[in-house]
Amino acid sequence: MTKHAVAAGVSALALLTAAPALAEIKIGASLAVTGPAAFLGDPEAKTLEMLVEELNAAGGINGEQVELIVYDDGADPNKARTFATRLIEEDEVVAVIGGSSTGATMAMAPLFADYEIPFISLAGAVVIIDPVQEFVFKTPHTDRMACEKIFADITARGLSKVGLISGTDGFGASMREQCLAVAGDAGVEIVADESYGGSDSDMTPQLTNIAATDGIEAVVNPGFGQGPAVVTRNYAQLGIELPFYQSHGVASDEFIKLAGDAANGLRLPATPLLIPDQLSEDDPQREPVQGYIAAYQAKYGETPSTFGGYAFDAFHLLLDAIERAGSTDPVAIRDALEATSGMAGVTGVYSFSPEDHMGLDLSAFRMLEIRDGGWAAVE
Amino acid sequence: MSELLQFIISGVTVGAIYAAIALGFTLIYNATGVVNFAQGEFVVIGGMTAAALIGAGVPVPLAALLAVLAGTLAGVLLYRLAIKPARQAPLVSLIIITIGASIFIRGAMQTLFDKQIHRYDGFSGDAPLRFGGATILPQSLWIIAGSVAVFGFLAWFLNRTRAGRGIRATASNRLAAALVGINTGRAMNLSFAISAGIGALAGVLATPVTFTSYDAGVLMALKGFSATMLGGVGSPLGALAGGLLIGLIEATTAGYVSSDYKDAAAFVVILAVLFVRPQGLFGAKITERV
Amino acid sequence: MAGRSIGPGLRTFLIFAALVVIGAALFPSSYFYRVGTLVWINTLSVTGIVVLLGYVGLVSLGHAGFFAIGAYATAILPQYGLPSGVAMLAGIGGAALLALLVGRPILRLSGYYLAIATLGLGMLIWMVLSKEAWLTGGPDGMAVEGMSARNLFKLVGLSLKSAEAWYWVAGGCASLGAALAVNLGHSPWGRALRAIHDSDVAARSLGIDVARAKSAAFVISAVYAAVAGALLALANGYITPDTGGFMHSVEMVTMAVLGGASSVFGALVGALILTALPQVLTVLADYEHMVLGAIMVLTMIAMRRGLVPALAGLWARRRP
């Protein structure tokens, strides 16, 4: 009798003292931390790392710590797909945030359907969520929405003849296509259509041609990186007075630094991240925006960019979904994501549905104008 | 008419930058027979260092000088650590070494500085100068003057100084050069140092117009290499002409034909020229010794 | 032991096949199969570079263009009704045709001039693929629907995971490609190529039609690249223009030189290092590029003909 009791006692003791494997929730990310899209991926990675650190310090999700695994795909779709496979199979993540570029996103997307892991993309093209793929979501506005917002502002000013000058990178080219597609319905006529390479240093020939176009009334520049800053400088250099619009691809203080005084007077659709102090008290985005800026500034010593904001929102959407799902089963997380309603992030207020994996409408975009080297809301 | 003038100004400005990079390629080729694919990285070193120093409050002339020195130092290190130990390696291996070195330098730039795009104000301000219905930035004049000065310096150096002639002799026949008492090691070292300095200078002058970032070097090297070959590798005049020509082709194609294919036009012209003159515009005729 | 030993081509095939099998035996998950697939696809495209650079001595900095032609034909043509296999063949044929047409004038150049001309060719191909978005999807790329390796194996009654199936297909193609290249090298035509490598003039004086031989080598290497491109497009299910970009061309040549451009085993080693190393270096995060660059430089300094010849040399010296 005593032998059994001792055995039972020892086993019970062994079970109790064996350290329980620290249940860790693994979240994966494949971002363009280096390479031509580092502009996007670097702040995204920094934001995710900061948020995970904060979360774990506050006790994690339901007491479980979160492990973030970030791979640098350099916006190479080949590498992105390999890393996605690695994240799903080797690292066994429950969800993936990533795809700083559309190419990388689209290369990874089929894997998430196969393995049934939810994926939140940080890239811009509308093709990511149209047609809707069951396990793919995205946080940034679509380029189509940017065009619609810009055109709405142009027509509100009583103008209609527009010239485009676009970067030949994925973002610029894709947005140019969308602008051409929605122009008619928006009451706008595209009368000039020029392009430039992402690393070009002088766009005066293209702008000269645009300025010389008959009857032109406004100019729009889809693009990101340094191109738009060069275009803006050239615009001022040539003395072009027409209303000038940039895209959300340059919604950052960096852009104002690079473009200098030439940027004054131009408008672009952006997230409230750029006007934290101008948000009203009852704006649901005020708290997340100011909180994010303060935390990022404290940790990295610089203001966060719109792209970091996409990662911020993706992470919080995921967190919110995991909490609502009450489990870390990927399919349950996905279902909870799809049921997200009215979640205020720094980019906008998100509400997903089975037909809408983007979650934002045009009101999430604020039209901003650059005045005296700073941002001002145009209303 | 003022449009054409604007296109020409645009073409000459970017062309001068390409030419400066091409002149750097030319010098190293003249000394070692190697086309140094890390040449673009020297431009970045110059630009990023100057941007960092100016941003920290260092007066512009001093920052420019230090940036050029930083580039020169990088060139010497490249020669000492990567090229010299590999002497007698086949040409293709040397190409891969310079490519590996450029990847290394890019990685170093990324950690030493950051991944942001940088700029500083033009040396004579940024207010454009207007004439003939066209505009030109004062910095463009600095860039053009700089490239012409570099060309002048190289032409004088390679033809009129002992060190320069030593470099040319080393490239022509290393053994023979050593036999007549030329310190071939020093000649090659010098060529890398000066070439890197030229690249850094190009970066310092160009940054107010082109901006700079840790990975801007790849495309710079590509354009510089194209300009070098178009003009004929080994010829400083070829480098200058090649650079300006490519710049002008790009600008006029963007202006008159289609901005989509302006880069394509440059390559089409290069291919066309090489089919007719396989040694480039001003290159030495290629002879094969049997 | 008297008797015929197996030919070099067959021997190469068996060695490669053995490596494919060993890999499959060791790989624990789809991720490894995925990296393995990329290694074999890269080996295939670099084998073409070995034929051009190793056998004849011609540097091409634009071969990624042919790779992309193979890939995009496989992606685009099925949208117009062509079955996937036919699309692949069309892509390979297109690449070969382009190489034939453009090869003649380009191959009259030599050294760095040849390099810039091929670079220009590759860039032109890349630009067309990037700009003509109506056809190619533009810089964001396009999805590829086509033959799936899984279905291939289902035909013979085997049920494999997608990544595994592609690994076998890629490995098989690479082994076949390597064997063919080795046979080529040992044929009289291959010897003619090596004669040209030493000296154009000397080869001509022996009666070799130098222009025709160079052109043939160019076309063959283009075919290798195109096949590899088609395989990658199908394996990835997605393709973007930078598969035809300058950096990819440079990567292909680097793989060849790193491993040893004169042999197909060099192609394998180079492809293995440059494909697998970045996966291993991810732990270094920000320092990855510095380490990669340093490895490339040090390898070339220490083993200037590439890894395989250097290791072969070490092995030879071991024997008493």
Side-chain angles (χ1 to χ4, degrees):
Chain A
M1 180 54 208
T2 354
K3 240 186 7 189
H4 290 293
V6 169
V10 169
S11 333
L13 208 61
L15 280 172
L16 283 173
T17 53
L22 255 179
E24 264 200 340
I25 303 177
K26 300 209 182 136
I27 297 182
S30 177
L31 302 167
V33 186
T34 60
F39 206 83
L40 308 170
D42 188 50
E44 287 164 1
K46 284 188 168 134
T47 300
L48 288 178
E49 279 160 6
M50 175 187 88
L51 290 174
V52 168
E53 222 181 88
E54 261 179 38
L55 181 66
N56 284 338
I61 308 176
N62 305 329
E64 298 184 48
Q65 295 281 291
V66 168
E67 190 193 339
L68 176 71
I69 302 158
V70 179
Y71 290 126
D72 173 18
D73 61 28
D76 178 347
N78 224 4
K79 283 206 183 130
R81 194 185 164 97
T82 307
F83 285 131
T85 315
R86 188 167 169 178
L87 284 170
I88 297 173
E89 291 225 331
E90 304 297 303
D91 303 308
E92 292 175 337
V93 298
V94 303
V96 176
I97 296 175
S100 315
S101 72
T102 302
T105 297
M106 297 307 285
M108 291 194 275
L111 285 173
F112 299 113
D114 277 346
Y115 286 92
E116 297 197 328
I117 305 270
F119 171 57
I120 305 183
S121 163
L122 306 178
V126 68
V127 64
I128 295 173
I129 39 90
D130 179 13
V132 168
Q133 296 176 68
E134 269 193 53
F135 282 84
V136 176
F137 298 80
K138 92 183 191 84
T139 46
H141 300 95
T142 62
D143 37 15
R144 177 181 291 167
M145 291 170 128
C147 294
E148 288 170 343
K149 188 83 181 179
I150 292 173
F151 288 157
D153 197 74
I154 288 177
T155 47
R157 282 164 108 168
L159 310 170
S160 70
K161 294 208 191 327
V162 172
L164 291 175
I165 174 167
S166 332
T168 50
D169 52 273
F171 180 88
S174 174
M175 183 168 161
R176 170 188 164 272
E177 258 188 64
Q178 293 301 317
C179 282
L180 288 170
V182 304
D185 287 336
V188 156
E189 191 193 335
I190 308 286
V191 296
D193 184 9
E194 302 278 342
S195 68
Y196 59 87
S199 323
D200 286 354
S201 43
D202 191 304
M203 280 55 124
T204 50
Q206 293 94 321
L207 285 172
T208 304
N209 280 344
I210 288 182
T213 312
D214 245 351
I216 187 157
E217 295 171 313
V219 180
V220 178
N221 179 195
F224 86 106
Q226 68 176 52
V230 177
V231 172
T232 306
R233 285 189 166 271
N234 289 160
Y235 205 82
Q237 175 190 335
L238 292 174
I240 305 179
E241 305 270 330
L242 303 168
F244 188 36
Y245 288 83
Q246 282 291 343
S247 72
H248 55 304
V250 296
S252 69
D253 291 329
E254 281 298 314
F255 171 72
I256 299 186
K257 246 194 280 175
L258 288 174
D261 289 335
N264 286 328
L266 70 78
R267 294 190 177 181
L268 56 79
T271 69
L273 256 182
L274 295 173
I275 43 163
D277 303 317
Q278 297 168 48
L279 296 173
S280 68
E281 292 260 334
D282 54 355
D283 189 326
Q285 288 192 268
R286 187 177 155 100
E287 207 196 293
V289 165
Q290 295 187 339
Y292 177 43
I293 294 178
Y296 198 91
Q297 186 89 42
K299 184 161 164 79
Y300 295 112
E302 50 188 35
T303 43
S305 73
T306 317
F307 316 108
Y310 299 149
F312 180 94
D313 287 337
F315 187 77
H316 281 282
L317 282 165
L318 196 58
L319 206 57
D320 179 62
I322 294 177
E323 280 170 4
R324 268 183 295 116
S327 96
T328 53
D329 167 51
V331 180
I333 297 177
R334 186 209 80 92
D335 290 338
L337 259 179
E338 217 177 48
T340 305
S341 173
M343 215 216 74
V346 302
T347 311
V349 180
Y350 289 92
S351 295
F352 291 131
S353 80
E355 297 83 36
D356 181 6
H357 277 200
M358 207 261 108
L360 297 174
D361 62 21
L362 275 185
S363 68
F365 259 141
R366 319 283 173 111
M367 187 56 74
L368 302 182
E369 186 175 299
I370 299 180
R371 291 185 201 145
D372 298 321
W375 303 97
V378 171
E379 237 39 276
Chain B
M1 186 52 212
S2 67
E3 278 170 19
L4 176 61
L5 188 57
Q6 190 65 54
F7 299 157
I8 292 176
I9 290 174
S10 167
V12 170
T13 304
V14 294
I17 299 171
Y18 300 156
I21 302 171
L23 286 164
F25 271 111
T26 300
L27 183 57
I28 289 185
Y29 176 84
N30 268 328
T32 63
V34 172
V35 165
N36 172 25
F37 283 97
Q39 190 65 25
E41 311 306 322
F42 298 134
V43 177
V44 171
I45 291 177
M48 291 290 269
T49 310
L53 290 173
I54 293 177
V58 175
V60 172
L62 183 60
L65 183 65
L66 289 174
V68 173
L69 284 175
T72 310
L73 182 63
V76 170
L77 285 174
L78 176 64
Y79 174 72
R80 287 276 171 82
L81 298 175
I83 307 291
K84 186 163 154 191
R87 51 175 47 183
Q88 311 312 335
L91 202 63
V92 176
S93 301
L94 285 169
I95 294 179
I96 302 297
I97 288 180
T98 58
I99 291 175
S102 78
I103 295 177
F104 179 86
I105 295 175
R106 247 193 313 254
M109 289 282 104
Q110 179 189 318
T111 23
L112 266 175
F113 295 106
D114 60 27
K115 291 179 223 169
Q116 303 294 351
I117 304 170
H118 291 280
R119 179 191 182 270
Y120 40 85
D121 289 334
F123 298 156
S124 307
D126 293 312
L129 306 163
R130 293 170 206 280
F131 66 96
T135 64
I136 185 169
L137 289 171
Q139 195 65 21
S140 301
L141 294 172
W142 277 97
I143 295 172
I144 296 170
S147 295
V148 172
V150 167
F151 163 71
F153 165 74
L154 271 188
W156 165 79
F157 178 73
L158 288 175
N159 287 311
R160 297 291 166 90
T161 65
R162 272 195 73 180
R165 281 200 291 257
I167 286 180
R168 282 169 59 209
T170 308
S172 184
N173 187 324
R174 204 177 291 177
L175 186 56
L179 282 175
V180 298
I182 293 172
N183 187 335
T184 54
R186 184 141 26 110
M188 293 195 276
N189 198 351
L190 190 60
S191 74
F192 267 85
I194 297 179
S195 197
I198 292 173
L201 180 63
V204 167
L205 291 176
T207 298
V209 171
T210 65
F211 308 159
T212 186
S213 62
Y214 85 101
D215 63 349
V218 180
L219 246 95
M220 296 267 167
L222 187 58
K223 300 273 175 156
F225 180 50
S226 310
T228 309
M229 302 318 293
L230 175 61
V233 72
S235 154
L237 183 60
L240 188 66
L244 291 174
L245 200 57
I246 290 184
L248 284 167
I249 292 170
E250 283 179 6
T252 45
T253 307
Y256 288 125
V257 183
S258 142
S259 46
D260 266 351
Y261 280 102
K262 67 173 179 54
D263 287 330
F267 281 111
V268 168
V269 169
I270 291 175
L271 285 170
V273 167
L274 288 179
F275 289 166
V276 175
R277 269 182 80 85
Q279 71 271 36
L281 291 172
F282 296 101
K285 248 202 135 69
I286 302 164
T287 48
E288 194 190 339
R289 285 212 195 85
V290 187
Chain C
M1 189 177 80
R4 276 183 310 166
S5 53
I6 49 177
L10 185 56
R11 187 170 55 219
T12 305
F13 179 83
L14 290 173
I15 296 177
F16 267 69
L19 290 169
V20 175
V21 171
I22 292 173
L26 293 173
F27 291 163
S29 73
S30 282
Y31 164 63
F32 283 85
Y33 279 113
R34 158 82 189 159
V35 178
T37 306
L38 290 177
V39 170
W40 289 118
I41 290 178
N42 284 334
T43 303
L44 186 63
S45 73
V46 177
T47 302
I49 302 282
V50 164
V51 169
L52 193 62
L53 180 61
Y55 292 5
V56 192
L58 302 172
V59 180
S60 166
L61 290 181
H63 257 60
F66 297 120
F67 188 97
I69 289 177
Y72 270 89
T74 311
I76 296 173
L77 292 176
Q79 291 189 343
Y80 291 89
L82 243 57
S84 191
V86 178
M88 254 185 96
L89 289 172
I92 296 167
L97 189 63
L98 182 65
L100 189 64
L101 290 174
V102 185
R104 282 291 172 141
I106 279 189
L107 291 167
R108 283 193 275 128
L109 303 165
S110 63
Y112 289 114
Y113 293 101
L114 177 63
I116 187 69
T118 48
L119 193 154
L121 176 66
M123 291 293 285
L124 287 170
I125 296 174
W126 172 78
M127 279 181 226
V128 171
L129 293 174
S130 289
K131 317 277 167 132
E132 303 304 318
W134 60 275
L135 184 67
T136 64
D140 277 338
M142 60 185 292
V144 182
E145 305 269 337
M147 300 189 294
S148 107
R150 277 190 83 192
N151 293 341
L152 209 67
F153 283 95
K154 281 215 190 101
L155 285 176
V156 289
L158 287 168
S159 175
L160 294 172
K161 281 202 284 186
S162 180
E164 258 186 86
W166 276 113
Y167 175 78
W168 289 108
V169 169
C173 289
S175 305
L176 209 63
L180 285 172
V182 169
N183 266 338
L184 207 69
H186 280 81
S187 71
W189 187 75
R191 285 195 286 273
L193 292 182
R194 290 192 203 268
I196 297 173
H197 193 161
D198 285 332
S199 160
D200 265 27
V201 177
R204 212 171 287 132
S205 72
L206 289 172
I208 296 172
D209 186 344
V210 172
R212 205 151 149 242
K214 281 184 178 178
S215 173
F218 197 63
V219 170
I220 288 174
S221 62
V223 166
Y224 271 92
V227 175
L231 285 177
L232 186 69
L234 289 171
N236 271 354
Y238 199 80
I239 196 78
T240 55
D242 31 77
T243 42
F246 168 62
M247 290 310 284
H248 188 201
S249 289
V250 169
E251 199 181 42
M252 284 166 75
V253 173
T254 305
M255 287 180 186
V257 178
L258 215 59
S262 46
S263 97
V264 298
F265 292 98
L268 171 57
V269 169
L272 180 63
I273 294 179
L274 282 184
T275 309
L277 198 55
Q279 293 297 320
V280 171
L281 292 178
T282 51
V283 294
L284 294 168
D286 269 354
Y287 298 100
E288 183 186 329
H289 293 290
M290 285 177 76
V291 173
L292 185 64
I295 289 179
M296 280 170 70
V297 173
L298 292 171
T299 308
M300 286 285 92
I301 291 176
M303 307 182 233
R304 42 197 69 139
R305 297 220 112 80
L307 265 164
V308 168
L311 293 176
L314 278 175
W315 180 260
R317 263 178 273 159
R318 277 174 83 250
R319 304 230 194 90

